[in-house]
Amino acid sequence: MNPLKPEAETVMSEHFKGRYEVEFKYRLSSRVQFLSRLKSMSPEIMLEDNLEHDRYFDLPAGELKGENKSVCIRNMQPSGIKLWIVKGPEADRCEAVDITDAEKACSMLQTMGFERVLEMKKIRSIYFLGEFHVTVDRLEGIGDFAELAIMTDDEHRLAGYRQQLLELAATLGLDSSQLETRSYRELQANSNSLSD
């Protein structure tokens, strides 16, 4: 059962449409303080505190990583959202499609010769402020983060969206010292190597 209301699904599909994603990720010093400031702006709530389980795949020699591409199968509970996500090779390139069976998708990738190279779990909440989406994440052992983003098919709007997102970040009390340029995948891999 999908607890998202039909209107939330429509809004979600509009917010996550496009081949390009402009995104800034910030490490939060205080999740509570950030959420308080965000909620004072009356965001639309898509979902709160979902467990997101990501499984990343690559070819045996790491060809996708070498080409700055990634393939991820995502399962979100209790919302029931399941996605097939491809990022790269350009930094702003990101496409996602709804799927109905995450386990079958993982099996199909492995049948085609892909190997699971990383599994990651996080607690995620997603809010909408106008055309932008704000994602608040908690990764165990890594920390709390906020991602400010927008997706589009119009490559010519990317620079303008970058500026608008930086202005939104400042309004939310975030600054450049909190910017995190590494992906969650890189942060998780780094965390794993430190704990080995």
Side-chain angles (χ1 to χ4, degrees), residues 30 43 71 75-76 79 81 94 98 118 127 130 144 150 166 174 176 188 194:
S30 170
V71 173
N75 187 4
M76 299 172 71
S79 67
I81 297 169
C94 175
D98 289 309
L118 179 67
Y127 306 89
D144 294 317
I150 188 167
L166 290 171
L174 302 169
S176 59
Q188 182 75 46
L194 291 175

Coordinates of all heavy atoms in Angstrom, one line a residue, residues 30 43 71 75-76 79 81 94 98 118 127 130 144 150 166 174 176 188 194:
S30 N 23.0 21.4 12.9 CA 21.8 21.1 13.8 C 20.6 20.8 12.9 O 20.1 21.7 12.3 CB 21.5 22.3 14.7 OG 20.3 22.1 15.3
P43 N 6.6 24.7 4.0 CA 6.8 23.9 2.9 C 5.7 22.9 2.7 O 5.0 22.6 3.7 CB 8.1 23.2 3.2 CG 8.1 23.1 4.7 CD 7.5 24.3 5.2
V71 N 24.5 3.7 -11.4 CA 23.2 3.0 -11.5 C 22.7 2.6 -10.1 O 23.5 1.9 -9.4 CB 23.2 1.8 -12.4 CG1 21.9 1.0 -12.4 CG2 23.6 2.2 -13.8
N75 N 14.6 1.8 -2.8 CA 13.4 1.3 -2.3 C 13.1 2.2 -1.0 O 13.9 2.2 -0.1 CB 13.4 -0.2 -1.9 CG 12.1 -0.7 -1.4 OD1 11.1 -0.1 -1.5 ND2 12.1 -2.0 -1.0
M76 N 11.9 2.9 -1.0 CA 11.6 3.8 0.1 C 10.4 3.2 0.9 O 9.4 2.9 0.2 CB 11.3 5.2 -0.4 CG 12.5 5.8 -1.1 SD 12.0 7.4 -2.0 CE 11.8 8.5 -0.6
S79 N 6.6 4.7 2.2 CA 6.0 5.3 1.1 C 5.7 4.3 0.0 O 4.8 4.5 -0.8 CB 6.7 6.5 0.6 OG 8.0 6.1 0.0
I81 N 7.7 3.9 -2.6 CA 8.3 4.4 -3.8 C 9.5 3.5 -4.1 O 10.4 3.2 -3.3 CB 8.8 5.8 -3.6 CG1 7.5 6.7 -3.4 CG2 9.5 6.3 -4.9 CD1 7.9 8.1 -2.9
C94 N 20.9 13.5 -14.5 CA 20.2 12.5 -13.5 C 18.9 12.2 -14.1 O 18.1 13.1 -14.4 CB 20.1 13.2 -12.2 SG 19.1 12.2 -11.0
D98 N 10.1 5.3 -12.1 CA 9.4 4.5 -11.2 C 9.4 3.0 -11.6 O 9.3 2.8 -12.8 CB 7.9 4.9 -11.0 CG 7.7 6.2 -10.3 OD1 8.3 6.4 -9.2 OD2 7.0 7.1 -10.9
L118 N 27.7 -1.3 -3.7 CA 27.5 -0.6 -2.4 C 26.0 -0.7 -2.1 O 25.2 -0.6 -2.9 CB 27.9 0.9 -2.6 CG 27.8 1.8 -1.4 CD1 28.7 1.4 -0.3 CD2 28.0 3.2 -1.8
Y127 N 10.6 17.8 1.2 CA 9.7 19.0 1.3 C 9.8 19.8 0.0 O 10.8 19.7 -0.7 CB 10.1 19.9 2.4 CG 10.2 19.2 3.8 CD1 11.4 18.6 4.2 CD2 9.1 19.1 4.6 CE1 11.5 18.0 5.4 CE2 9.2 18.4 5.8 CZ 10.4 17.9 6.2 OH 10.5 17.2 7.4
G130 N 8.0 25.9 -3.3 CA 7.8 26.4 -4.7 C 8.2 25.3 -5.7 O 7.8 24.1 -5.5
D144 N 24.1 14.4 9.2 CA 22.8 14.9 8.8 C 23.1 15.9 7.6 O 24.1 16.7 7.7 CB 22.1 15.7 9.9 CG 21.6 14.7 11.0 OD1 21.1 13.6 10.7 OD2 21.8 15.1 12.2
I150 N 16.5 21.0 -7.9 CA 15.4 21.1 -8.9 C 15.8 20.3 -10.1 O 17.0 20.2 -10.4 CB 15.2 22.6 -9.3 CG1 13.9 22.6 -10.2 CG2 16.4 23.2 -10.0 CD1 13.4 24.1 -10.4
L166 N 21.3 28.8 -4.4 CA 22.2 29.4 -3.5 C 21.5 30.5 -2.6 O 21.8 30.6 -1.4 CB 23.4 30.0 -4.2 CG 24.4 29.0 -4.8 CD1 25.4 29.7 -5.7 CD2 25.1 28.1 -3.7
L174 N 22.0 28.4 5.5 CA 23.1 27.6 5.1 C 24.2 28.4 4.4 O 23.8 29.4 3.7 CB 22.6 26.5 4.2 CG 21.6 25.5 4.7 CD1 21.0 24.7 3.6 CD2 22.1 24.6 5.8
S176 N 28.4 28.5 2.5 CA 29.4 27.8 1.7 C 30.3 26.9 2.6 O 30.8 25.8 2.1 CB 30.2 28.7 0.8 OG 30.9 29.6 1.7
Q188 N 30.1 7.3 2.0 CA 29.9 6.0 2.5 C 31.2 5.1 2.3 O 31.6 4.4 3.2 CB 28.7 5.3 1.9 CG 28.4 3.9 2.4 CD 27.7 4.0 3.8 OE1 26.8 4.7 4.0 NE2 28.2 3.2 4.7
L194 N 37.6 3.9 6.5 CA 38.1 4.3 7.8 C 37.8 3.3 8.9 O 38.6 3.1 9.8 CB 37.5 5.6 8.2 CG 37.9 6.8 7.3 CD1 37.2 8.1 7.8 CD2 39.4 7.1 7.5

